[in-house]
Protein backbone atom coordinates (compact mmCIF):
# COMPACT_ATOMS: atom_id res chain seq x y z
CA UNK A 1 0.00 0.00 0.00
CA UNK A 2 1.21 3.54 -0.73
CA UNK A 3 0.69 4.55 2.91
CA UNK A 4 3.85 2.74 3.96
CA UNK A 5 6.11 4.67 1.56
CA UNK A 6 7.96 7.95 1.91
CA UNK A 7 7.06 10.89 -0.29
CA UNK A 8 9.79 10.45 -2.87
CA UNK A 9 8.70 6.85 -3.37
CA UNK A 10 5.10 8.01 -3.59
CA UNK A 11 5.83 10.69 -6.21
CA UNK A 12 7.73 8.19 -8.33
CA UNK A 13 4.94 5.65 -7.99
CA UNK A 14 2.29 8.25 -8.73
CA UNK A 15 3.72 8.60 -12.24
CA UNK A 16 4.35 4.89 -12.85
CA UNK A 17 1.69 3.44 -15.08
CA UNK A 18 1.08 -0.15 -16.08
CA UNK A 19 3.19 -0.99 -19.10
CA UNK A 20 1.48 -2.12 -22.24
CA UNK A 21 3.63 -4.00 -24.73
CA UNK A 22 4.43 -1.69 -27.62
CA UNK A 23 3.58 1.54 -25.79
CA UNK A 24 6.21 4.07 -24.71
CA UNK A 25 7.04 4.18 -20.99
CA UNK A 26 5.99 7.82 -20.75
CA UNK A 27 3.35 8.75 -23.27
CA UNK A 28 4.05 11.72 -25.46
CA UNK A 29 1.44 14.46 -25.32
CA UNK A 30 -1.85 13.82 -26.98
CA UNK A 31 -2.58 17.05 -28.76
CA UNK A 32 -4.51 16.97 -31.96
CA UNK A 33 -4.86 13.30 -32.69
CA UNK A 34 -7.86 12.15 -34.63
CA UNK A 35 -10.52 11.16 -32.19
CA UNK A 36 -12.12 8.01 -33.50
CA UNK A 37 -15.64 7.79 -32.23
CA UNK A 38 -16.50 4.53 -30.57
CA UNK A 39 -19.43 2.68 -32.09
CA UNK A 40 -20.66 2.43 -28.50
CA UNK A 41 -22.46 5.77 -28.23
CA UNK A 42 -22.76 5.56 -24.45
CA UNK A 43 -18.98 5.97 -24.17
CA UNK A 44 -18.13 9.64 -24.74
CA UNK A 45 -14.44 9.39 -23.69
CA UNK A 46 -11.95 11.52 -25.65
CA UNK A 47 -14.34 12.60 -28.35
CA UNK A 48 -12.89 16.09 -28.19
CA UNK A 49 -9.88 17.63 -26.42
CA UNK A 50 -11.89 19.83 -24.07
CA UNK A 51 -13.63 16.80 -22.52
CA UNK A 52 -10.62 14.74 -21.56
CA UNK A 53 -7.56 13.02 -22.94
CA UNK A 54 -5.27 10.20 -21.81
CA UNK A 55 -2.48 12.54 -20.66
CA UNK A 56 -4.88 14.48 -18.44
CA UNK A 57 -6.19 11.27 -16.94
CA UNK A 58 -2.70 10.05 -16.06
CA UNK A 59 -1.84 13.39 -14.46
CA UNK A 60 -5.19 13.51 -12.67
CA UNK A 61 -4.76 10.05 -11.21
CA UNK A 62 -1.25 11.03 -9.99
CA UNK A 63 -2.52 14.27 -8.40
CA UNK A 64 -5.47 12.49 -6.78
CA UNK A 65 -3.11 9.89 -5.29
CA UNK A 66 -0.84 12.58 -3.81
CA UNK A 67 -3.74 14.63 -2.38
CA UNK A 68 -5.44 11.53 -0.97
CA UNK A 69 -8.48 12.34 -3.15
CA UNK A 70 -10.84 10.14 -5.12
CA UNK A 71 -10.35 12.35 -8.17
CA UNK A 72 -8.54 15.37 -9.56
CA UNK A 73 -9.16 17.70 -12.50
CA UNK A 74 -6.43 19.62 -14.29
CA UNK A 75 -6.80 23.26 -15.37
CA UNK A 76 -4.86 25.70 -17.50
CA UNK A 77 -3.66 27.63 -14.42
CA UNK A 78 -4.14 27.82 -10.67
CA UNK A 79 -6.50 30.76 -11.22
CA UNK A 80 -8.51 28.72 -13.72
CA UNK A 81 -8.92 25.97 -11.09
CA UNK A 82 -9.90 28.47 -8.38
CA UNK A 83 -12.32 30.52 -10.47
CA UNK A 84 -14.00 27.44 -11.91
CA UNK A 85 -14.53 26.13 -8.37
CA UNK A 86 -15.89 29.47 -7.15
CA UNK A 87 -18.27 29.74 -10.13
CA UNK A 88 -19.68 26.34 -9.22
CA UNK A 89 -19.99 26.95 -5.47
CA UNK A 90 -20.81 30.64 -5.00
CA UNK A 91 -24.38 31.34 -6.11
CA UNK A 92 -26.16 34.72 -6.09
CA UNK A 93 -27.29 35.45 -2.54
CA UNK A 94 -24.59 33.30 -0.96
CA UNK A 95 -21.70 34.45 1.20
CA UNK A 96 -18.12 33.67 0.22
CA UNK A 97 -15.07 34.09 2.46
CA UNK A 98 -11.75 34.71 0.69
CA UNK A 99 -8.31 35.23 2.22
CA UNK A 100 -7.42 38.87 2.93
CA UNK A 101 -3.76 37.92 3.22
CA UNK A 102 -3.59 35.32 0.43
CA UNK A 103 -3.03 35.31 -3.31
CA UNK A 104 -4.22 38.77 -4.45
CA UNK A 105 -5.79 37.80 -7.79
CA UNK A 106 -8.39 35.73 -5.95
CA UNK A 107 -9.62 38.82 -4.08
CA UNK A 108 -9.75 40.71 -7.37
CA UNK A 109 -11.80 37.98 -9.04
CA UNK A 110 -14.21 37.94 -6.11
CA UNK A 111 -14.57 41.74 -6.10
CA UNK A 112 -14.70 42.29 -9.86
CA UNK A 113 -16.63 39.25 -11.02
CA UNK A 114 -18.51 37.54 -8.17
CA UNK A 115 -19.66 40.52 -6.08
CA UNK A 116 -21.56 42.14 -9.00
CA UNK A 117 -23.55 38.89 -9.31
CA UNK A 118 -24.99 39.30 -5.82
CA UNK A 119 -22.46 37.16 -3.97
CA UNK A 120 -21.47 38.65 -0.64
CA UNK A 121 -17.69 38.65 -0.25
CA UNK A 122 -16.00 38.63 3.15
CA UNK A 123 -12.24 39.05 3.30
CA UNK A 124 -10.61 37.41 6.31
CA UNK A 125 -7.02 37.03 7.37
CA UNK A 126 -5.73 33.56 8.29
CA UNK A 127 -6.30 34.26 12.00
CA UNK A 128 -9.91 35.40 11.34
CA UNK A 129 -10.98 32.52 9.06
CA UNK A 130 -12.83 30.44 11.65
CA UNK A 131 -14.85 33.43 12.85
CA UNK A 132 -15.69 34.57 9.32
CA UNK A 133 -16.74 31.03 8.37
CA UNK A 134 -19.55 31.30 10.94
CA UNK A 135 -21.49 33.44 8.44
CA UNK A 136 -20.43 31.74 5.20
CA UNK A 137 -21.75 29.35 2.58
CA UNK A 138 -18.39 28.89 0.91
CA UNK A 139 -14.95 29.37 2.47
CA UNK A 140 -11.74 29.58 0.50
CA UNK A 141 -8.74 29.30 2.84
CA UNK A 142 -5.09 29.51 1.92
CA UNK A 143 -2.51 28.03 4.28
CA UNK A 144 0.29 28.87 4.74
CA UNK A 145 -0.99 32.18 3.38
CA UNK A 146 1.09 33.63 0.57
CA UNK A 147 3.10 35.83 1.23
CA UNK A 148 2.79 36.36 5.03
CA UNK A 149 2.92 32.61 5.90
CA UNK A 150 0.27 32.64 8.61
CA UNK A 151 -1.29 29.21 9.08
CA UNK A 152 -5.02 28.43 9.23
CA UNK A 153 -6.16 25.72 11.64
CA UNK A 154 -7.83 23.50 9.03
CA UNK A 155 -9.26 21.00 11.47
CA UNK A 156 -11.05 23.73 13.41
CA UNK A 157 -12.15 25.53 10.25
CA UNK A 158 -13.50 22.26 8.84
CA UNK A 159 -15.62 21.75 11.97
CA UNK A 160 -17.07 25.28 11.75
CA UNK A 161 -17.89 24.79 8.06
CA UNK A 162 -19.45 21.37 8.57
CA UNK A 163 -21.60 22.55 11.47
CA UNK A 164 -23.30 25.08 9.20
CA UNK A 165 -23.20 23.19 5.94
CA UNK A 166 -20.64 25.49 4.33
CA UNK A 167 -18.23 24.16 1.71
CA UNK A 168 -14.54 24.43 2.57
CA UNK A 169 -12.05 24.88 -0.24
CA UNK A 170 -8.32 25.00 0.56
CA UNK A 171 -5.61 26.44 -1.67
CA UNK A 172 -2.74 23.98 -1.29
CA UNK A 173 -0.26 25.74 -3.59
CA UNK A 174 2.40 26.71 -1.05
CA UNK A 175 2.42 23.53 1.02
CA UNK A 176 1.83 21.10 -1.88
CA UNK A 177 0.34 17.67 -1.09
CA UNK A 178 3.80 16.71 0.21
CA UNK A 179 3.47 19.35 2.93
CA UNK A 180 -0.16 18.80 3.91
CA UNK A 181 -3.29 16.99 2.79
CA UNK A 182 -6.21 19.37 3.41
CA UNK A 183 -8.84 16.77 2.45
CA UNK A 184 -7.78 14.61 5.37
CA UNK A 185 -8.13 17.64 7.66
CA UNK A 186 -11.72 18.47 6.70
CA UNK A 187 -11.59 20.32 3.36
CA UNK A 188 -14.21 19.46 0.74
CA UNK A 189 -12.02 20.50 -2.18
CA UNK A 190 -8.38 21.32 -2.76
CA UNK A 191 -7.48 23.92 -5.37
CA UNK A 192 -3.88 24.63 -6.32
CA UNK A 193 -1.45 26.09 -8.76
CA UNK A 194 0.84 23.38 -10.13
CA UNK A 195 2.96 26.21 -11.55
CA UNK A 196 4.99 26.48 -8.35
CA UNK A 197 6.77 23.79 -6.31
CA UNK A 198 4.79 20.86 -7.65
CA UNK A 199 6.10 21.17 -11.21
CA UNK A 200 9.06 23.13 -9.86
CA UNK A 201 10.96 24.19 -12.98
CA UNK A 202 9.41 27.64 -13.56
CA UNK A 203 8.58 26.67 -17.12
CA UNK A 204 4.82 26.13 -17.24
CA UNK A 205 1.49 27.30 -15.82
CA UNK A 206 -1.04 24.75 -14.60
CA UNK A 207 -3.62 24.16 -11.90
CA UNK A 208 -5.87 21.48 -10.46
CA UNK A 209 -8.84 20.73 -8.26
CA UNK A 210 -8.93 17.58 -6.11
CA UNK A 211 -11.71 16.10 -4.03
CA UNK A 212 -13.64 13.01 -3.07
CA UNK A 213 -17.24 14.26 -3.24
CA UNK A 214 -18.50 12.98 -6.62
CA UNK A 215 -21.22 15.66 -6.98
CA UNK A 216 -18.78 18.51 -6.36
CA UNK A 217 -16.20 17.05 -8.71
CA UNK A 218 -18.79 16.45 -11.43
CA UNK A 219 -19.97 20.07 -11.14
CA UNK A 220 -16.41 21.38 -11.46
CA UNK A 221 -15.77 19.09 -14.42
CA UNK A 222 -18.97 20.39 -16.04
CA UNK A 223 -17.76 23.98 -15.62
CA UNK A 224 -14.40 23.05 -17.17
CA UNK A 225 -16.15 21.47 -20.12
CA UNK A 226 -18.49 24.42 -20.72
CA UNK A 227 -16.17 27.33 -19.86
CA UNK A 228 -13.08 25.65 -21.32
CA UNK A 229 -10.19 26.74 -19.02
CA UNK A 230 -8.24 23.62 -19.93
CA UNK A 231 -4.62 22.59 -19.60
CA UNK A 232 -2.78 21.97 -22.85
CA UNK A 233 -1.84 18.32 -23.27
CA UNK A 234 1.83 19.21 -23.60
CA UNK A 235 1.85 21.07 -20.28
CA UNK A 236 -0.04 18.18 -18.71
CA UNK A 237 2.71 15.85 -19.83
CA UNK A 238 5.38 18.25 -18.51
CA UNK A 239 3.74 18.39 -15.07
CA UNK A 240 3.53 14.61 -15.04
CA UNK A 241 7.19 14.32 -15.99
CA UNK A 242 8.16 16.82 -13.27
CA UNK A 243 6.04 15.22 -10.56
CA UNK A 244 8.33 12.22 -10.22
CA UNK A 245 11.07 14.38 -8.70
CA UNK A 246 8.74 16.53 -6.56
CA UNK A 247 9.52 14.54 -3.41
CA UNK A 248 13.28 15.11 -3.72
CA UNK A 249 12.93 18.75 -4.72
CA UNK A 250 10.46 19.64 -1.99
CA UNK A 251 12.52 17.89 0.67
CA UNK A 252 15.56 20.02 -0.23
CA UNK A 253 13.50 23.22 -0.51
CA UNK A 254 12.10 22.68 2.99
CA UNK A 255 15.56 21.91 4.37
CA UNK A 256 16.97 25.07 2.78
CA UNK A 257 14.08 27.20 4.05
CA UNK A 258 14.58 25.99 7.58
CA UNK A 259 18.34 26.57 7.46
CA UNK A 260 17.88 30.08 6.10
CA UNK A 261 15.21 30.85 8.73
CA UNK A 262 17.61 29.80 11.47
CA UNK A 263 20.43 31.90 10.00
CA UNK A 264 18.32 35.03 9.43
CA UNK A 265 16.46 34.90 12.73
CA UNK A 266 19.27 36.48 14.73
CA UNK A 267 20.81 38.50 11.90
CA UNK A 268 21.26 42.26 12.48
CA UNK A 269 20.03 43.09 8.93
CA UNK A 270 16.70 41.39 9.60
CA UNK A 271 13.75 42.76 11.60
CA UNK A 272 11.82 39.51 11.74
CA UNK A 273 11.45 36.15 10.02
CA UNK A 274 8.35 34.03 9.60
CA UNK A 275 8.64 30.31 8.87
CA UNK A 276 5.93 27.96 10.14
CA UNK A 277 8.59 25.32 10.86
CA UNK A 278 10.49 27.43 13.41
CA UNK A 279 9.44 26.27 16.89
CA UNK A 280 9.09 29.87 18.10
CA UNK A 281 6.97 30.98 15.11
CA UNK A 282 3.41 31.96 16.13
CA UNK A 283 2.07 29.45 13.56
CA UNK A 284 4.22 26.55 14.72
CA UNK A 285 1.76 24.77 17.07
CA UNK A 286 -0.95 24.50 14.38
CA UNK A 287 1.55 23.93 11.56
CA UNK A 288 3.25 21.10 13.47
CA UNK A 289 -0.16 19.49 13.93
CA UNK A 290 -1.37 19.63 10.35
CA UNK A 291 1.74 19.86 8.17
CA UNK A 292 4.14 17.11 7.33
CA UNK A 293 6.68 19.55 5.91
CA UNK A 294 6.71 23.31 6.36
CA UNK A 295 7.43 24.35 2.80
CA UNK A 296 10.07 26.25 0.88
CA UNK A 297 8.85 29.82 1.52
CA UNK A 298 10.18 32.28 4.04
CA UNK A 299 8.82 35.75 4.90
CA UNK A 300 11.44 38.26 6.01
CA UNK A 301 11.42 41.94 6.83
CA UNK A 302 14.60 43.83 6.00
CA UNK A 303 15.27 47.49 6.83
CA UNK A 304 14.22 48.86 3.44
CA UNK A 305 13.61 48.18 -0.23
CA UNK A 306 17.23 49.16 -0.87
CA UNK A 307 18.43 46.43 1.52
CA UNK A 308 16.51 43.78 -0.44
CA UNK A 309 17.83 45.06 -3.75
CA UNK A 310 21.39 45.15 -2.42
CA UNK A 311 21.06 41.53 -1.30
CA UNK A 312 20.02 40.47 -4.80
CA UNK A 313 22.86 42.46 -6.33
CA UNK A 314 25.55 40.98 -4.08
CA UNK A 315 24.30 37.41 -4.02
CA UNK A 316 25.49 34.93 -6.61
CA UNK A 317 22.69 32.45 -6.04
CA UNK A 318 19.55 34.46 -5.22
CA UNK A 319 17.59 35.88 -8.13
CA UNK A 320 14.74 38.38 -8.08
CA UNK A 321 11.57 36.71 -9.33
CA UNK A 322 7.90 36.91 -8.48
CA UNK A 323 6.86 33.31 -8.90
CA UNK A 324 8.10 30.68 -6.47
CA UNK A 325 8.67 26.99 -5.95
CA UNK A 326 11.31 26.57 -8.66
CA UNK A 327 14.70 24.91 -8.39
CA UNK A 328 16.46 28.30 -8.10
CA UNK A 329 16.34 30.32 -4.90
CA UNK A 330 14.52 33.58 -5.50
CA UNK A 331 13.31 36.60 -3.60
CA UNK A 332 10.33 38.86 -4.20
CA UNK A 333 9.80 42.27 -2.63
CA UNK A 334 6.04 42.17 -2.32
CA UNK A 335 5.37 45.91 -1.84
CA UNK A 336 6.19 46.43 -5.51
CA UNK A 337 3.04 44.42 -6.35
CA UNK A 338 0.84 46.37 -3.96
CA UNK A 339 0.63 43.81 -1.12
CA UNK A 340 -0.12 45.45 2.21
CA UNK A 341 3.37 44.92 3.58
CA UNK A 342 6.31 47.17 4.39
CA UNK A 343 8.85 48.22 1.74
CA UNK A 344 11.49 45.88 3.19
CA UNK A 345 9.21 42.82 3.27
CA UNK A 346 10.48 40.01 1.07
CA UNK A 347 9.38 36.47 0.37
CA UNK A 348 12.17 33.99 -0.20
CA UNK A 349 11.48 30.90 -2.25
CA UNK A 350 14.14 28.33 -1.58
CA UNK A 351 15.54 26.30 -4.43
CA UNK A 352 17.38 23.00 -4.42
CA UNK A 353 20.95 24.31 -4.22
CA UNK A 354 23.27 22.78 -1.60
CA UNK A 355 22.26 24.16 1.77
CA UNK A 356 25.76 25.21 2.83
CA UNK A 357 26.41 27.05 -0.44
CA UNK A 358 23.17 28.97 -0.17
CA UNK A 359 23.57 29.99 3.45
CA UNK A 360 27.18 31.07 2.89
CA UNK A 361 26.19 33.08 -0.19
CA UNK A 362 23.36 34.92 1.58
CA UNK A 363 25.51 35.56 4.67
CA UNK A 364 28.18 37.05 2.40
CA UNK A 365 25.64 39.17 0.53
CA UNK A 366 24.30 40.61 3.79
CA UNK A 367 27.73 41.48 5.16
C1 LIG B 1 0.33 31.38 -7.96
C2 LIG B 1 -0.80 31.12 -7.06
C3 LIG B 1 -2.09 30.97 -7.55
C4 LIG B 1 -2.43 31.14 -9.01
O1 LIG B 1 -1.81 30.18 -9.78
P1 LIG B 1 -1.49 30.37 -11.35
O2 LIG B 1 -1.00 29.03 -11.75
O3 LIG B 1 -0.47 31.46 -11.46
O4 LIG B 1 -2.77 30.78 -12.00
C5 LIG B 1 -3.10 30.70 -6.64
N1 LIG B 1 -2.86 30.56 -5.33
C6 LIG B 1 -1.62 30.71 -4.83
C7 LIG B 1 -1.41 30.56 -3.37
C8 LIG B 1 -0.56 31.00 -5.67
O5 LIG B 1 0.66 31.16 -5.16
Amino acid sequence: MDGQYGDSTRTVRAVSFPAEPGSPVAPSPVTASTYHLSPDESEPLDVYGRYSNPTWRQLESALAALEGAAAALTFGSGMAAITSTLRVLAKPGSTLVVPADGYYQVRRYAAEYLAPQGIKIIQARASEMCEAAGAADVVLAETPANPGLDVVDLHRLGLVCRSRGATLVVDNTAATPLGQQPLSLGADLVVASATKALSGHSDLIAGYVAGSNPDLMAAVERDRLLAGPILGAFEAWLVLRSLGSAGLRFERQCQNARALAVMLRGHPAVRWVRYPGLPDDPSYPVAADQMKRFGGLLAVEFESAAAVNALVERSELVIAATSFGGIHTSIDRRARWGDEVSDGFARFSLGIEDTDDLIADIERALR
Side-chain angles (χ1 to χ4, degrees), residues 187-229:
D188 297 293
L189 290 174
V190 160
V191 292
S193 169
T195 310
K196 318 291 170 54
L198 208 57
S199 64
H201 291 74
S202 315
D203 57 3
L204 60 86
I205 288 185
Y208 67 93
V209 177
S212 296
N213 177 320
D215 295 337
L216 285 180
M217 293 305 287
V220 174
E221 186 171 12
R222 184 86 188 144
D223 182 83
R224 183 181 66 176
L225 170 69
L226 297 180

Side-chain angles (χ1 to χ4, degrees), residues 75-132:
F75 283 83
S77 67
M79 281 307 293
I82 292 168
T83 55
S84 182
T85 301
L86 294 182
R87 276 196 299 275
V88 164
L89 294 175
K91 298 296 176 203
S94 67
T95 299
L96 166 69
V97 176
V98 295
D101 51 358
Y103 192 66
Y104 67 115
Q105 307 272 30
V106 173
R107 288 194 292 282
R108 285 193 182 156
Y109 182 78
E112 293 175 24
Y113 184 84
L114 298 176
Q117 296 180 47
I119 294 155
K120 186 177 170 204
I121 311 293
I122 298 177
Q123 291 193 14
R125 303 184 68 81
S127 57
E128 305 159 343
M129 271 284 154
C130 287
E131 198 189 326

